[in-house]
């Protein structure tokens, strides 16, 4: 994700970040963009730049979930810089 225009931060959280992942674990990231860049992003296309996306959807929390080859699942929280202060420990906190 290095060098992606408008991406300010991409913290990983959950089992991989805690070194507790197993073969069934997914990868989970918060992706913080400038407001302008966030408005331009097509979620599936952005994820397809990482690896081919077999299937993609928005889950019940509004998080984009991409299924990559080998059934590797990624959860990507696309947010803006202004959202950053409301997110701690991988969970959204209400103001």
């Amino acid at each position: 994700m290095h060098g992606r225009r408008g991406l300010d931060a991409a913290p990983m959280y959950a089992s991989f970040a805690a070194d507790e992942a197993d073969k069934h674990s997914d990868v989970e990231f918060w992706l913080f963009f400038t407001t302008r860049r966030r408005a331009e992003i097509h979620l599936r296309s952005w994820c397809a730049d990482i690896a081919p996306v077999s299937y993609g959807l928005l889950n019940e929390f509004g998080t984009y979930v991409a299924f990559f080859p080998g059934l590797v699942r990624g959860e990507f929280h696309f947010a803006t810089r202004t959202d950053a202060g409301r997110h701690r420990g991988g969970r959204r906190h209400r103001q």
Side-chain angles (χ1 to χ4, degrees):
M1 288 181 243
H2 176 68
R4 287 186 178 254
R5 183 177 58 86
L7 179 62
D8 288 335
M12 178 184 247
Y13 71 98
S15 60
F16 273 97
D19 200 25
E20 299 171 350
D22 63 25
K23 66 180 183 178
H24 303 291
S25 297
D26 57 355
V27 294
E28 300 170 89
F29 286 92
W30 278 100
L31 304 170
F32 295 104
F33 295 90
T34 60
T35 302
R36 180 178 177 179
R37 178 64 180 128
R38 173 59 190 94
E40 299 170 347
I41 294 171
H42 180 268
L43 307 181
R44 184 182 180 111
S45 295
W46 195 94
C47 290
D49 283 346
I50 298 167
V53 175
S54 302
Y55 186 74
L57 59 94
L58 285 177
N59 70 13
E60 67 272 25
F61 304 108
T63 301
Y64 188 75
V65 180
F67 292 86
F68 299 108
L71 292 179
V72 174
R73 188 176 71 130
E75 289 189 11
F76 300 92
H77 302 264
F78 289 85
T80 65
R81 289 178 184 171
T82 56
D83 294 325
R86 295 192 303 257
H87 302 277
R88 294 186 302 274
R91 301 203 190 286
R92 184 176 178 118
H93 296 270
R94 296 177 196 250
Q95 290 186 334

